[in-house]
Amino acid sequence: MAVNVSPDALAKSLQQSLSPNAAERKQAEQYLETIELAPHFVVPLLQLVNNQAADANTRFAAALYFKNFVKRRWPQSEDTEDVVSTEDRKAVKSEIVSLMITVPKQLQLQIGEAVSIIAENDFPEQWPELITDLVSRLSATDFHVNNGILQTAHTVFKGWRSEFRSDRLYTKINCVLEKFTEPYMQVFVTTDKLIDEHSGNQQALRILLHSLMLLCQIYYDLNCQDLPPFFEDHMAEFMQTFHKYLVYTNPNAESDDDDVAGDLEEVKSSICEIIELYAQRYEEVFPQLPQFVETVWNMLTTVGAAHKYDGIVSKGMAFLRTVVRNPRQKELFSSSESLKLICERIIIPNTVLPENDEELFEDDPIQFVRRDIEGSEAGSRRQAAGDLVRGLLDQFSSETTQVMSTYIQKGLERYAASPAEHWRDKDVALFMVTSVAVVASVHSLGATKVNELVNISDFFKTQIVQHLQSVGSDSEAPILKVDAIKYINTFRSQLPRDLLLQALPLLAQHLAHPNPVVSTYAAIAVERLLVLKKDSSLLFGPADLQPLAEGMLTHIFAKLDGAESPQKLAENDYLMKTVMRIFLASRTNILPLAPAALGKLAGILSEVSKNPSNPKFNHFMFEAIGSLARFSCMAEKSAIVQFEATLFPIFQTILQQDVAEFMPYVFQILAQLLSVHQSEGSLPDAYVSLLPPLLQPALWESQGNIPALVRLLQSYLQIGGVQISREGQLQPILGVFQKLIASRANDHHGFNLLLAITQFTPAEALQQYLKPILTLCLNRLQSSRTEKFTRNFVHYLASILCIGAEHGQGVELLLSTMDSIQADLLVNLLDSVIVKALPTVVGRVERKTTVIGFGLLVASAKFQSNPRCAQSTSAVLPELYTMLTDTSVKEGKAQADRSVVDGSAAAVSASTVAADEDLDSLEIEDTGYQASFARLATLGDIKIDPCPQITDPALGLGHVLKPVKTKIESAAVPDNVKSFFLECVAHAQ
């Protein structure tokens, strides 16, 4: 096999990619990006991972690069170029299982992710030997090898847990069950036997318990979608073993580190997950359920408080919650004594703030916030206890509320008697109030339904406000301030507006709190309140925010200014998200604060650009800049001068230093700033001088730059289309189009650019280039047609047809150009490509353009003079009818307007510039945020509508078709289609 990549150069580049020197690291990354396109690149990469003589860091870098390469390059679709040859794919699959077995665990995790991706795409159709290969390597004696095989199997199978049921999924599972279950059980039984035999050998136990842990995880994988007959037939044997290890104790088996779960603790957690699955899905054939309920209950009352047991406790409580929610099992918990015991001995002890969380609160505040909000992999005891309370409330609402209220009241009384000594009691009480009061919740709204037996407003007045009235209070227990803020945040959709109006200034003050956890939670709560809506309107409008905005921004920027490094500055994305939200909520009222805010943002941008580290922070920072510019210039157009003067030097540095993470953002902000000059009718000199560098091929090599650069060029064309064509700059822009159109991954961006050229440049300028443009498209259509390309091409043809619609200018232009390429070419395309593709066009404006454009074609005298037109007319009209009447082929706005998700030019050009109301609830998840390109929602899209005067497509088409009414009457189309169009014509009279 000829390898075109030097192993030594590859190793050196991977080593340099870890360098602390940014320039050296950048050079290595660029070299790697270039050579990964070389034939057989992946083979020496895997060889380096497997090279035990190589430097450990280099091997890890190779494994990491391999994983990311597989993520980027392995999946195949009609819209992506396949750079991994069939030969290389076979080579990887033949070696990767052996690699998983032999490499160290650190590398195994990276290779495992790659195996999962490859299996997801190839198994079983293109990788039928996978399971046979795994099974053939299982050993009766070498459990190091077995663990590698089991880890590989779990890596392949675990994705099934979250997959929706489908025929393909069940084909995969059945293929595995057929070959894997018998050997799996043999290893399971042997592992259990060997654990007994080696109970006094700590080293052997660690290996064997790791095997058992993997076996438990695989058991869950194989049972997660349905109960296979094999496991139903052998349930008694498996459950007996699971029960054995749920109660298993052996000092030689337990983790030596109280903070880190060992394999025995992981085994018990996994068993709890399995029995929860069976209690939830297969209860009717799970006779061991009562025994497990008793065992887990006893386990939870005796397990230690060490952090290593958190997984066992949280999974055990999750099992009990599932059981109690089952009406057929609720009798196990129905007595008042049972409820009291479960609250007293299981729930309350596990709601106390753990000691390591208190330490994290002080030592790593942002990590504390992240873990509290996002949860940890092992699961939080507190959260599990709260979930168990809600499970009890489902079946015993009043009884559980009464029992819990007793403990809550006791905690509040102890705190009242001695706040400094008993602050933990109030912390527990506040957590339990939330657990008892919340019946249903969603992240975007907080609690959506509350327990009617809990008066959340009264509790706010008597127990919450006291912690927020003074920033300096609770100095010995700032966690109580966090609890109070979280209470407001949780019940924001349920508390009356007058209490929230009282709360907002208090939260604003706490943005200045010296404890980072308190100030961060205050920022989170402020941000959530500013997007809160009631009766479809924002609860807090610009007028409500105006007295508070300056103080809030001052406090937040002061926190950010105190950071000691770019990484620390960018660490707290919650603060930057709140800055963004204040700008969005203030609207044009932000103008008086804009100069100071812009200065602060510019300083932050300059600092973090030295070493970008937190993508979310970066995104919110640029959204903040975009929203500040948008509303400031909306209020006072002259504000653009200061924005350009402040930002341009920083942008120039970012572009010169090739800060890849920020360049797409810079291009988008430039597009926004340029759009402010729209009324001037020409491009400002600064932007004119910037245009040639923007067209340099090197910028377009980065995939992340492409959508942003296209959006910027659209702004150039919108404002200076006439100027660009007059000064001869249209040709290099069309050169960009040529590059984009050749790529399956980027052809839709090429059409986005082409639509802007067609819309914003004079028709006579376009005319000279139309033949080569269409020739390029037709060549691509013939050589590498995809559905995405075809629908974008059809929509583009329609946009040409709509040029000068009242005079038929676009129809004449397209017909004559097509005929100059080949006689009757358009008619041939209609028959072979266009007619079938018409209904696939997405987006409201695009569908309107397509309907009107091809209606104009059908109605034109030149088209009708062609003898073949009658047949084509009869084929086109039913498809236009479908586009106008069949709702099943119409895309929703969110789906059609986001090309970053859909990959459609229609998606970009369909939407207008983002409306103010679209920004009210802006979430990063809804903006098309990705690692390589993050679309700024505050920028919005260029409106490209060739026929804006037509608001009703059916009525507009009726006007268009009036000249061919008699042709419609005689067309060979279904009666309902004919009557529909005749009715449209009649209404248009």
Side-chain angles (χ1 to χ4, degrees):
M1 181 187 298
V3 176
N4 299 327
V5 178
S6 162
D8 291 340
L10 176 61
K12 183 179 179 181
S13 295
L14 286 165
Q15 201 165 28
Q16 287 176 339
S17 71
L18 304 173
S19 169
N21 184 303
E24 188 174 291
R25 193 168 62 244
K26 186 76 178 176
Q27 184 180 5
E29 290 167 355
Q30 289 175 341
Y31 173 73
L32 289 167
E33 287 173 8
T34 301
I35 65 169
E36 77 169 39
L37 300 175
H40 316 309
F41 163 77
V42 72
V43 175
L45 185 63
L46 270 185
Q47 289 171 345
L48 181 57
V49 175
N50 199 30
N51 184 356
Q52 296 181 19
D55 174 74
N57 290 332
T58 304
R59 291 180 72 190
F60 178 77
L64 185 62
Y65 200 94
F66 173 73
K67 177 193 72 175
N68 292 328
F69 175 83
V70 169
K71 277 184 181 179
R72 289 192 304 270
R73 303 296 188 182
W74 198 276
Q76 295 171 281
S77 74
E78 68 166 19
D79 294 325
T80 57
E81 277 82 21
D82 188 6
V83 300
V84 187
S85 69
T86 302
E87 185 181 4
D88 284 350
R89 289 176 184 273
K90 288 180 179 178
V92 168
K93 287 183 285 192
S94 68
E95 297 295 332
I96 200 163
V97 172
S98 298
L99 199 62
M100 276 290 290
I101 294 169
T102 57
V103 297
K105 187 174 181 180
Q106 184 188 30
L107 304 185
Q108 200 178 68
L109 294 173
Q110 303 300 325
I111 302 300
E113 280 194 55
V115 171
S116 178
I117 296 165
I118 295 170
E120 171 61 27
N121 285 274
D122 290 14
F123 177 74
E125 295 87 356
Q126 284 84 44
W127 202 2
E129 69 277 10
L130 171 61
I131 303 303
T132 305
D133 190 14
L134 290 173
V135 168
S136 69
R137 296 170 185 265
L138 287 169
S139 168
T141 56
D142 192 340
F143 274 74
H144 284 290
V145 170
N146 283 357
N147 286 349
I149 295 165
L150 294 173
Q151 181 64 57
T152 304
H154 175 53
T155 298
V156 173
F157 305 158
K158 67 182 178 181
W160 301 345
R161 299 185 180 200
S162 57
E163 280 195 45
F164 290 109
R165 296 187 173 197
S166 66
D167 290 342
R168 185 168 187 267
L169 174 61
Y170 274 76
T171 298
K172 285 185 179 184
I173 294 174
N174 289 332
C175 180
V176 170
L177 293 171
E178 181 184 344
K179 300 174 182 178
F180 192 76
T181 47
E182 287 289 354
Y184 167 83
M185 188 168 186
Q186 290 172 16
V187 174
F188 190 94
V189 171
T190 302
T191 304
D192 173 39
K193 180 183 175 184
L194 289 172
I195 289 173
D196 288 340
E197 292 176 1
H198 294 81
S199 60
N201 185 333
Q202 191 176 57
Q203 186 176 359
L205 274 178
R206 285 180 177 172
I207 298 169
L208 292 165
L209 284 169
H210 188 68
S211 299
L212 184 61
M213 183 268 292
L214 291 169
L215 288 162
C216 290
Q217 291 181 336
I218 291 171
Y219 189 97
Y220 190 104
D221 298 338
L222 297 176
N223 285 263
C224 65
Q225 288 286 339
D226 206 350
L227 180 58
F230 177 87
F231 290 103
E232 186 172 358
D233 293 343
H234 295 280
M235 186 182 298
E237 299 102 296
F238 279 113
M239 289 302 161
Q240 182 180 358
T241 307
F242 288 147
H243 188 269
K244 169 184 173 180
Y245 286 100
L246 202 56
V247 297
Y248 183 83
T249 57
N250 183 345
N252 291 317
E254 291 203 5
S255 170
D256 298 330
D257 187 343
D258 279 351
D259 290 332
V260 181
D263 286 310
L264 178 59
E265 292 78 27
E266 295 284 2
V267 165
K268 293 186 177 187
S269 297
S270 294
I271 292 170
C272 288
E273 284 187 298
I274 290 167
I275 59 177
E276 183 193 359
L277 173 70
Y278 270 57
Q280 190 173 55
R281 300 279 299 277
Y282 316 127
E283 174 222 352
E284 294 178 357
V285 293
F286 185 28
Q288 299 87 354
L289 179 58
Q291 179 190 20
F292 277 110
V293 170
E294 182 179 355
T295 300
V296 171
W297 183 301
N298 291 333
M299 180 182 72
L300 290 174
T301 60
T302 57
V303 71
H307 188 45
K308 67 181 179 181
Y309 300 122
D310 286 359
I312 299 173
V313 174
S314 60
K315 298 294 192 300
M317 285 194 280
F319 166 68
L320 292 184
R321 177 199 62 200
T322 295
V323 176
V324 77
R325 279 179 167 167
N326 186 335
R328 291 184 294 276
Q329 302 294 335
K330 72 175 188 177
E331 293 305 317
L332 295 168
F333 306 88
S334 60
S335 71
S336 58
E337 187 61 26
S338 295
L339 285 173
K340 184 178 178 183
L341 283 172
I342 199 171
C343 291
E344 185 175 293
R345 301 184 63 185
I346 296 176
I347 293 172
I348 297 296
N350 286 300
T351 57
V352 176
L353 189 69
E355 185 178 335
N356 59 341
D357 278 8
E358 288 187 40
E359 293 172 359
L360 194 65
F361 186 94
E362 296 295 336
D363 299 339
D364 195 346
I366 304 305
Q367 181 59 25
F368 176 91
V369 175
R370 289 199 198 288
R371 198 165 80 173
D372 192 36
I373 291 174
E374 301 168 10
S376 64
E377 191 174 338
S380 157
R381 294 191 186 210
R382 260 198 165 187
Q383 191 57 52
D387 291 341
L388 180 54
V389 170
R390 283 184 277 277
L392 292 167
L393 287 167
D394 284 349
Q395 298 295 335
F396 316 105
S397 179
S398 60
E399 298 93 330
T400 303
T401 303
Q402 185 176 354
V403 170
M404 293 305 302
S405 295
T406 302
Y407 292 107
I408 290 168
Q409 190 58 39
K410 286 180 181 177
L412 294 175
E413 289 171 357
R414 281 195 293 271
Y415 172 77
S418 179
E421 184 180 357
H422 293 297
W423 64 265
R424 289 181 181 83
D425 292 290
K426 182 154 190 182
D427 173 58
V428 169
L430 293 177
F431 177 81
M432 292 316 306
V433 166
T434 301
S435 300
V436 173
V438 175
V439 176
S441 66
V442 294
H443 170 72
S444 59
L445 298 172
T448 54
K449 185 178 180 182
V450 296
N451 186 340
E452 295 178 355
L453 301 174
V454 180
N455 188 329
I456 59 169
S457 296
D458 184 60
F459 194 83
F460 172 85
K461 298 171 188 174
T462 59
Q463 298 294 338
I464 298 300
V465 171
Q466 60 183 270
H467 296 291
L468 299 176
Q469 286 176 330
S470 169
V471 174
S473 65
D474 299 308
S475 58
E476 295 180 354
I479 192 71
L480 295 181
K481 286 187 174 291
V482 172
D483 292 337
I485 294 168
K486 287 170 67 176
Y487 184 93
I488 296 169
N489 196 29
T490 299
F491 295 107
R492 62 188 183 273
S493 295
Q494 304 299 319
L495 290 168
R497 186 174 188 272
D498 64 310
L499 293 185
L500 294 177
L501 281 170
Q502 179 186 351
L504 184 59
L506 302 179
L507 294 171
Q509 292 174 11
H510 279 78
L511 292 169
H513 196 280
N515 185 285
V517 179
V518 176
S519 58
T520 299
Y521 267 106
I524 291 168
V526 166
E527 193 274 331
R528 289 293 84 192
L529 286 179
L530 294 184
V531 297
L532 186 61
K533 290 184 177 182
K534 289 197 176 177
D535 300 324
S536 301
S537 298
L538 286 173
L539 194 67
F540 296 100
D544 298 310
L545 191 57
Q546 192 166 11
L548 303 171
E550 183 174 10
M552 290 195 292
L553 290 171
T554 299
H555 295 327
I556 294 174
F557 284 129
K559 293 288 182 186
L560 294 171
D561 286 344
E564 61 213 24
S565 68
Q567 292 93 326
K568 277 293 180 184
L569 172 57
E571 183 180 47
N572 197 332
D573 47 86
Y574 303 105
L575 293 180
M576 187 52 74
K577 187 176 185 181
T578 305
V579 170
M580 175 199 77
R581 188 69 64 195
I582 292 168
F583 294 161
L584 291 170
S586 297
R587 296 291 191 264
T588 53
N589 285 357
I590 200 64
L591 182 63
L593 307 178
L598 176 60
K600 289 293 185 182
L601 286 172
I604 292 169
L605 171 59
S606 180
E607 187 65 19
V608 297
S609 67
K610 296 174 184 176
N611 190 5
S613 57
N614 183 349
K616 282 191 174 183
F617 182 94
N618 299 339
H619 186 84
F620 292 134
M621 174 181 62
F622 280 102
E623 290 282 17
I625 292 170
S627 55
L628 184 64
R630 174 174 178 159
F631 292 114
S632 298
C633 295
M634 188 183 296
E636 179 57 66
K637 186 186 170 186
S638 61
I640 188 65
V641 175
Q642 184 173 9
F643 276 89
E644 291 174 339
T646 303
L647 295 174
F648 274 22
I650 304 172
F651 287 176
Q652 186 174 12
T653 301
I654 290 170
L655 296 176
Q656 287 175 344
Q657 295 182 354
D658 195 19
V659 184
E661 298 89 338
F662 283 3
M663 289 169 71
Y665 288 118
V666 167
F667 298 139
Q668 290 178 86
I669 297 295
L670 285 171
Q672 183 175 34
L673 298 178
L674 179 55
S675 68
V676 177
H677 297 281
Q678 188 167 352
S679 61
E680 297 169 16
S682 63
L683 295 168
D685 291 343
Y687 294 90
V688 171
S689 61
L690 182 61
L691 183 56
L694 294 176
L695 301 175
Q696 293 301 309
L699 277 183
W700 296 83
E701 292 301 321
S702 169
Q703 184 62 38
N705 286 348
I706 289 173
L709 281 167
V710 167
R711 177 62 182 82
L712 177 53
L713 290 183
Q714 285 181 317
S715 289
Y716 267 93
L717 290 160
Q718 182 186 37
I719 292 164
V722 174
Q723 180 181 348
I724 287 170
S725 58
R726 185 179 63 241
E727 296 177 2
Q729 292 178 303
L730 200 54
Q731 190 165 348
I733 294 177
L734 285 168
V736 170
F737 158 75
Q738 182 175 358
K739 175 182 174 65
L740 297 176
I741 210 74
S743 163
R744 287 186 175 192
N746 295 318
D747 51 25
H748 58 290
H749 296 304
F751 279 113
N752 294 341
L753 186 56
L754 199 52
L755 288 167
I757 292 170
T758 306
Q759 176 84 356
F760 300 122
T761 59
E764 56 272 17
L766 173 67
Q767 186 172 355
Q768 62 178 310
Y769 297 110
L770 189 57
K771 182 176 179 179
I773 287 171
L774 293 175
T775 302
L776 282 170
C777 292
L778 292 168
N779 288 337
R780 168 65 202 278
L781 196 67
Q782 186 174 24
S783 65
S784 184
R785 183 188 310 179
T786 66
E787 181 182 338
K788 171 166 71 85
F789 180 89
T790 305
R791 72 168 180 262
N792 281 310
F793 178 57
V794 168
H795 168 244
Y796 176 64
L797 294 180
S799 70
I800 297 174
L801 291 167
C802 289
I803 295 173
E806 62 278 9
H807 305 298
Q809 184 182 2
V811 174
E812 171 60 32
L813 177 61
L814 184 61
L815 281 171
S816 60
T817 306
M818 285 287 195
D819 283 342
S820 72
I821 298 172
Q822 180 183 312
D824 287 345
L825 179 56
L826 187 56
V827 179
N828 292 333
L829 278 174
L830 278 169
D831 295 341
S832 61
V833 176
I834 295 172
V835 169
K836 289 182 289 186
L838 284 171
T840 67
V841 175
V842 295
R844 180 183 60 82
V845 174
E846 287 69 19
R847 293 175 72 81
K848 178 188 75 169
T849 301
T850 304
V851 165
I852 299 302
F854 283 94
L856 286 164
L857 177 66
V858 166
S860 75
K862 185 171 182 178
F863 181 76
Q864 289 294 335
S865 67
N866 189 311
R868 293 173 56 190
C869 79
Q871 181 181 350
S872 296
T873 300
S874 298
V876 170
L877 289 177
E879 301 303 337
L880 300 184
Y881 168 81
T882 298
M883 295 181 75
L884 290 167
T885 61
D886 188 352
T887 57
S888 68
V889 298
K890 293 182 180 178
E891 300 282 352
K893 182 181 185 301
Q895 203 171 354
D897 288 359
R898 284 167 52 187
S899 67
V900 290
V901 174
D902 176 278
S904 161
V908 166
S909 57
S911 67
T912 60
V913 174
D916 289 357
E917 59 269 20
D918 294 334
L919 301 176
D920 288 343
S921 309
L922 171 65
E923 296 289 357
I924 190 169
E925 295 82 4
D926 298 332
T927 64
Y929 174 80
Q930 300 171 2
S932 61
F933 170 69
R935 175 180 176 272
L936 291 177
T938 47
L939 171 60
D941 296 315
I942 295 285
K943 180 176 180 179
I944 298 180
D945 186 351
C947 38
Q949 73 282 5
I950 296 175
T951 55
D952 182 338
L955 189 60
L957 186 59
H959 279 287
V960 166
L961 294 178
K962 278 194 291 186
V964 288
K965 178 181 177 183
T966 56
K967 298 285 187 181
I968 296 172
E969 291 171 340
S970 61
V973 297
D975 291 343
N976 62 325
V977 175
K978 187 179 296 185
S979 61
F980 174 83
F981 285 118
L982 290 174
E983 187 176 339
C984 288
V985 171
H987 286 159
Q989 297 295 343

